[in-house]
Amino acid sequence: MVGCSVAASSELSDCVLPYVPGLHAYTPGIQPVGPGWVKLNTNECPYPPSPGVVEALTRELRDGGAALRLYPSPTSAPLREALARVHGLEPSQVFVGNGSDEVLGLLVRCCTGAVAPAGFTFPSYSLYPVLVGIQDGAAVSVEFDRSMRLPVDRIAGSKAKVFFLTSPNAPTGVGFSRQDIARTLETFPGLLVVDEAYAAFAQEDAVPLLARHRRLVVVRTFSKSHALAGMRVGYALADPEVIGWLDRIRDSYNVNRLSQAAGLAALADAAYYDQVRQKIIRTRDAWYRDWTGRRAWFAYPSQANFIFVEPRDRLGRTGPEVARAAYDFLVSRKVLVRYFPSHALTASFLRVSVGTDDEMLVLHESLDAWLKAPPAA
Amino acid sequence: MVGCSVAASSELSDCVLPYVPGLHAYTPGIQPVGPGWVKLNTNECPYPPSPGVVEALTRELRDGGAALRLYPSPTSAPLREALARVHGLEPSQVFVGNGSDEVLGLLVRCCTGAVAPAGFTFPSYSLYPVLVGIQDGAAVSVEFDRSMRLPVDRIAGSKAKVFFLTSPNAPTGVGFSRQDIARTLETFPGLLVVDEAYAAFAQEDAVPLLARHRRLVVVRTFSKSHALAGMRVGYALADPEVIGWLDRIRDSYNVNRLSQAAGLAALADAAYYDQVRQKIIRTRDAWYRDWTGRRAWFAYPSQANFIFVEPRDRLGRTGPEVARAAYDFLVSRKVLVRYFPSHALTASFLRVSVGTDDEMLVLHESLDAWLKAPPAA
């Protein structure tokens, strides 16, 4: 793989695996610095975490932060146990990671190589191909058509050893039924990773299927539904054998002390998060009706905390130029949404995270202003 | 690599890369639960972090923890900038990770494969071979002899593409001179990673060599010297090209918001950490003199925050049985140290983290009791 000459004057580039310098890192949504931004671009929760989270973190800081000098639980054992209780599973079926991104990366590393392809749909979470590239693995992409219905048969025939399915999908927000997931498990012979980052906002989830399907992995995160994107806590639910693979290859202390405490405290306040979830769903559905009704814009029915919407300009046109113009206008108003220009299935759309009522009003006033603005040169 | 059959009834084991189930995870030192333990087994700082750390974390929690709902800086940019200032480097020469373990793992992943071996000395940080195994990479081990002098020529001839050198060494505590590191850089043609987890307690470090050697990577951690093992913050200093490799393969948001804040606050209170460091060095040197003088035990001169010592029983004997007996006796007294029984170079020794004065007194009283106790059956 590398042809590093045996002379101390060798080049730096001789020391790296040859594919690494050519990798393209994942591009996260912009994290603007400074005040005044309406940030609807990375699907963060618009509401703060449970007051219990701050209380728990403050407790961890007592005695001058003396506990911070000690390593955390290497296995995040208390959090695994609490998650097992919440989901009606055994702790041996739970893995906790430094955000669900770490969990997804570890799953790729367990299963993917040059002759062991990883699969994913397009569009879906654009991190998957990046993770496969990092592993120098083969990738199989299964494209949706504009209906965004789950292409079960094409997944089954994809020859992937592991398949990543975002459900509800990102960036479309389309939810897949438990029945469709079950059908996929029955026909696809590899490991099926159902990335349920947005499951809190959906009608169904795949967790009950774990009882019957050993090749199912459900991945969750505290980032969206639990308002803890800043803390990096995600987890996997799976067969103990799969959990064992992840434990063999993770960092020894992959989740820090405060993140473990924050996750535990969040789980303990289900009532608060239930209210937050219901509020986000109400806001989402109200604006979905407004967009598709009053404005007559197309949007996919969303089961997530964002809406994938196709802007229509003052002349009634849609398309990549229109979406780009709307995006740019919003940025000029300090309203950030997400735009994925690289593919026909996404280039005419904007992905808008569901914010507070105030944030959504600013967004819609900005869109009104865009519709009234003279066309750009 | 995998022979996953194309039938939905395939086995779970068909979905994983074949080497993964056979991996052995790194065994971290015991993290005891419950009170009463004197914990001298994982080289944590015996003193709390700077008061500025708790202040900074408390600030991050204001407004009901509202900031926690937002993703952190994906690049840990403010912390990279602060570290660059501290070390007199450019931010482009700094990488921040979720503990130095993540940094080491990423370096292995950049450089190591089946035909691109990673090298390390034995003994040294026992995580390295685990990380190489996770990458299914080839490994080259260069053994010290009992002198623990750096075998520069054997490293140069090791054929490794990347070599991990713990300096000061763990578990021996022996420091290597900057001149020896420079000689290694001049003769070893691969990437030399100097793991300076314990550099704060040493007489010299390798950072000044970065100005002349592009193939040098210096890895540091906030866990030991900055009393933040619980927060998981580590970093690499290297050529911008190497930093670019790491940035291509890390998780997008690898360091959480509070860990970044803790690292920044710790850097801002150099005076506090200077006192802590000097106190630990004084304690270490006093007990080193006591062990090697009054007790006439052999110990390596330590430039770290621990001492690698060869216990001598009441009959004057040393050896693996003696070290094991001392270890077990200490555990029975709720005093935890670290014992590495698997190799002749380490099996007669105990690695004792430098604790507070009180902790060190309990340790030494326990050793006195061991020396007076009747021999085990």
Side-chain angles (χ1 to χ4, degrees), chain A residues 1 7-8 10 17 23 44-45 68-69 71 98 110 115 186 189 215 224 230 232 248 253-254 256-257, chain B residues 1 7-8 10 17 23 44-45 68-69 71 98 110 115 186 189 215 224 230 232 248 253-254 256-257:
Chain A
M1 300 240 231
S10 71
L17 296 178
L23 292 172
E44 288 141 333
C45 180
L68 303 184
R69 72 180 184 83
Y71 282 96
N98 184 38
C110 276
V115 296
E186 283 151 16
R215 287 180 292 97
K224 304 0 176 142
R232 319 306 302 124
R248 281 178 179 78
Y253 298 100
N254 60 331
N256 73 88
R257 191 170 272 273
Chain B
M1 300 241 231
S10 72
L17 296 178
L23 292 172
E44 288 142 333
C45 180
L68 303 183
R69 72 180 184 84
Y71 283 97
N98 183 38
C110 276
V115 295
E186 283 152 17
R215 288 180 292 96
K224 316 327 187 162
R232 319 305 302 126
R248 281 176 179 79
Y253 298 101
N254 61 330
N256 74 88
R257 191 169 271 272

Side-chain angles (χ1 to χ4, degrees), chain B residues 282-296:
Chain B
R282 280 199 306 275
T283 306
R284 175 193 76 194
D285 291 349
W287 286 108
Y288 173 82
R289 284 192 300 272
D290 185 76
W291 255 322
T292 57
R294 182 174 63 90
R295 289 203 201 273

Side-chain angles (χ1 to χ4, degrees), chain A residues 226-244:
Chain A
H226 288 73
L228 290 175
M231 293 307 292
R232 319 306 302 124
V233 191
Y235 60 100
L237 307 173
D239 187 273
E241 193 173 325
V242 177
I243 302 299

Side-chain angles (χ1 to χ4, degrees), chain B residues 184-235:
Chain B
T184 308
L185 281 161
E186 283 152 17
T187 54
F188 169 67
L191 195 71
L192 184 69
V193 179
V194 181
D195 181 351
E196 292 195 338
Y198 304 102
F201 312 101
Q203 286 158 15
E204 290 190 302
D205 65 60
V207 175
L209 299 175
L210 286 165
R212 289 188 284 125
H213 295 279
R214 294 189 69 207
R215 288 180 292 96
L216 170 63
V217 182
V218 176
V219 176
R220 293 280 183 100
T221 174
F222 283 77
S223 293
K224 316 327 187 162
S225 56
H226 287 73
L228 289 175
M231 293 307 292
R232 319 305 302 126
V233 191
Y235 59 98

Side-chain angles (χ1 to χ4, degrees), chain A residues 88-109:
Chain A
L89 300 169
E90 294 298 316
S92 61
Q93 294 173 280
V94 184
F95 176 89
V96 177
N98 184 38
S100 63
D101 285 355
E102 185 196 30
V103 180
L104 296 168
L106 292 171
L107 285 163
V108 167
R109 293 171 68 190

